[in-house]
C-alpha cells in the first residue's frame, strides 16, 4: 500500500467525527471511490481512534486505508491511562498512523525522540508511520525553514535507522499553512521536498530514497490539489479541513483521480 507510483491522498480528521456522520461519510466515500476506481490514486483517512472499530467492522472498505492520528510511545500494555498502543491499533485494521503532527508537538510536547519511538513501535507492528515535519512562521521568515526541517528529519531518521526508514512516509507540513488557507508557494514546496529527497538519498541508497512517498500538507483543497501533486518530488497530500466532509474531499479525490501523472 501507499506506493509512490500512485498519487497518495490522506485525510486527517483531527478531532472531528460522530458515529452518525461517519456512516454517511463512509457511504459517500466508498461510492465516490467506486466511481473513480480507475484513477491512479490511493486514499486513506486518519480518524480518531475511537472510531476505528466502526470503520474496520465493515467488510466493504475496498482499497481505502484506515489510519490513526497518534499512537502511544509505549509498546507494552501497562499503566498508561488514556493511551493506545500500536498492537491495539493493529487489531482494528489500522494500516498507518500519523506521528509528529505539529499539533501533537505543540499541545503534547512531542519531541523528535518521541516521534521516532512511536514510529518504531508502529513499524514493529507492521503499521506505516506517516512522519510529519515542518517549520513555523518565524523559522520561515528568518530563512531558517530548510535548516529546521533538515534537523527534524535527520534526528528522526537516525533514531529509526536506515533499514526501517524505508517503510515510512513523510509529510512536509509548514505549521503556518495548517488551517490558515495560506498554502505554501509551489517553489517552497518544491525546495523542501527536494531537500527531503536529497537527505534520504544520502541516508539510504538512491533507489530506496526515491521510493519513499513525500506528501505535502497545509491548506490543501480541491482547488489547489492538482498543482500541488504536480510539483516535483510531491507524491501526494495530507489533507486536514477539506477531508472532514465528502463535499470537499469527494471533489478533491475526483480532481486527483483525473490527474494521471
Ligand atoms: P489543513 O488541511 O486543515 O490545513 O490541515 C493540514 C493538516 O494539519 C493535515 O495533517
Amino acid at each position: 500500500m501507499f506506493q509512490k507510483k500512485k498519487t497518495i491522498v490522506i485525510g486527517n480528521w483531527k478531532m472531528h467525527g460522530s458515529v452518525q456522520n461517519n456512516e454517511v461519510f463512509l457511504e459517500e466515500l466508498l461510492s465516490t471511490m467506486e466511481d473513480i476506481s480507475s484513477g491512479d490514486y490511493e486514499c486513506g483517512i486518519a480518524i480518531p481512534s475511537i472510531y476505528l472499530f466502526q470503520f474496520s467492522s465493515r467488510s466493504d472498505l475496498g482499497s481505502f486505508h484506515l489510519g490513526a492520528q497518534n499512537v502511544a510511545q509505549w509498546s507494552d500494555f501497562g499503566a498508561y491511562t488514556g493511551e493506545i498502543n500500536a498492537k491495539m491499533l493493529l487489531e482494528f485494521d489500522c494500516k498507518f498512523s500519523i506521528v509528529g503532527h505539529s499539533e501533537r508537538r505543540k499541545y503534547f510536547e512531542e519531541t523528535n525522540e518521541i516521534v521516532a519511538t512511536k514510529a518504531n513501535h508502529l513499524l514493529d507492528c507492521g503499521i506505516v508511520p506517516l512522519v510529519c515535519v515542518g517549520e513555523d512562521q518565524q523559522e520561515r521568515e528568518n530563512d531558517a525553514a530548510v535548516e529546521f526541517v533538515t534537523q527534524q528529519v535527520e534526528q528522526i531518521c537516525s533514531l529509526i535507522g536506515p533499514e526501517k526508514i524505508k517503510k515510512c512516509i513523510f509529510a512536509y507540513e509548514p505549521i503556518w499553512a495548517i488551517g490558515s488557507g495560506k498554502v505554501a508557494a509551489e517553489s517552497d514546496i518544491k525546495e523542501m521536498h527536494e531537500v527531503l529527497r536529497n537527505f534520504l538519498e544520502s541516508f539510504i541508497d538512491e533507489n530506496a530514497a526515491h521510493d519513499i512517498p513525500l506528501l505535502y500538507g497545509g491548506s490543501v483543497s480541491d482547488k489547489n490539489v492538482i498543482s500541488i501533486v504536480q510539483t516535483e518530488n510531491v507524491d501526494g497530500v495530507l489533507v486536514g479541513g477539506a477531508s472532514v466532509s465528502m463535499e470537499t474531499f469527494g471533489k478533491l479525490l475526483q480532481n486527483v483521480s483525473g490527474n494521471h501523472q
Side-chain angles (χ1 to χ4, degrees):
M1 60 159 235
F2 294 137
Q3 302 155 8
K4 62 161 278 174
K5 46 184 189 302
K6 300 190 177 182
T7 303
I8 298 169
V9 180
I10 297 185
N12 172 11
W13 273 11
K14 308 191 179 186
M15 199 168 73
H16 288 94
S18 75
V19 171
Q20 202 179 357
N21 290 349
N22 298 350
E23 283 304 317
V24 178
F25 181 95
L26 202 46
E27 290 308 329
E28 288 178 13
L29 174 67
L30 296 179
S31 105
T32 300
M33 286 184 70
E34 210 174 293
D35 287 349
I36 53 175
S37 58
S38 57
D40 267 346
Y41 71 99
E42 272 197 286
C43 174
I45 300 192
I47 58 174
S49 299
I50 197 165
Y51 299 129
L52 282 171
F53 180 66
Q54 184 185 6
F55 280 60
S56 69
S57 58
R58 306 237 337 198
S59 55
D60 57 349
L61 288 184
S63 57
F64 158 70
H65 304 301
L66 207 47
Q69 298 171 11
N70 182 38
V71 64
Q73 58 181 297
W74 301 278
S75 60
D76 291 334
F77 294 94
Y80 305 108
T81 302
E83 290 296 286
I84 296 171
N85 69 18
K87 292 169 195 139
M88 293 164 163
L89 293 181
L90 191 61
E91 276 205 291
F92 296 100
D93 219 17
C94 184
K95 300 284 195 294
F96 71 97
S97 175
I98 296 176
V99 285
H101 192 279
S102 60
E103 287 147 23
R104 303 251 4 136
R105 292 175 187 263
K106 178 178 172 189
Y107 298 117
F108 302 93
E109 292 171 9
E110 286 189 6
T111 60
N112 292 328
E113 285 84 359
I114 294 176
V115 172
T117 302
K118 290 182 171 192
N120 278 322
H121 294 328
L122 290 167
L123 289 164
D124 288 344
C125 286
I127 300 173
V128 175
L130 168 45
V131 181
C132 297
V133 291
E135 81 285 357
D136 68 16
Q137 177 97 40
Q138 193 77 48
E139 282 137 4
R140 172 61 55 188
E141 280 169 10
N142 293 345
D143 264 343
V146 165
E147 192 189 338
F148 181 81
V149 172
T150 304
Q151 259 178 19
Q152 281 185 316
V153 107
E154 271 177 5
Q155 211 175 349
I156 293 169
C157 285
S158 72
L159 291 165
I160 295 176
E163 261 325 295
K164 287 167 107 181
I165 210 71
K166 295 176 189 168
K167 298 203 161 66
C168 295
I169 294 181
F170 286 86
Y172 166 53
E173 292 207 307
I175 297 171
W176 48 271
I178 296 176
S180 63
K182 283 191 274 180
V183 71
E186 221 173 286
S187 55
D188 291 336
I189 301 176
K190 186 169 174 240
E191 178 189 38
M192 197 63 85
H193 280 238
E194 195 179 330
V195 165
L196 291 173
R197 188 76 72 204
N198 288 344
F199 170 74
L200 290 170
E201 279 177 6
S202 69
F203 189 69
I204 46 179
D205 64 279
E206 203 172 315
N207 283 344
H210 191 74
D211 284 344
I212 295 181
L214 303 179
L215 314 185
Y216 166 81
S219 295
V220 177
S221 71
D222 56 297
K223 310 269 187 313
N224 59 29
V225 69
I226 294 297
S227 64
I228 293 170
V229 298
Q230 282 174 342
T231 307
E232 214 178 318
N233 279 314
V234 174
D235 305 304
V237 283
L238 181 55
V239 187
S243 73
V244 173
S245 138
M246 268 310 285
E247 209 170 300
T248 42
F249 198 56
K251 274 191 213 148
L252 194 150
L253 282 176
Q254 259 151 358
N255 289 348
V256 168
S257 73
N259 170 52
H260 301 278
Q261 279 196 305

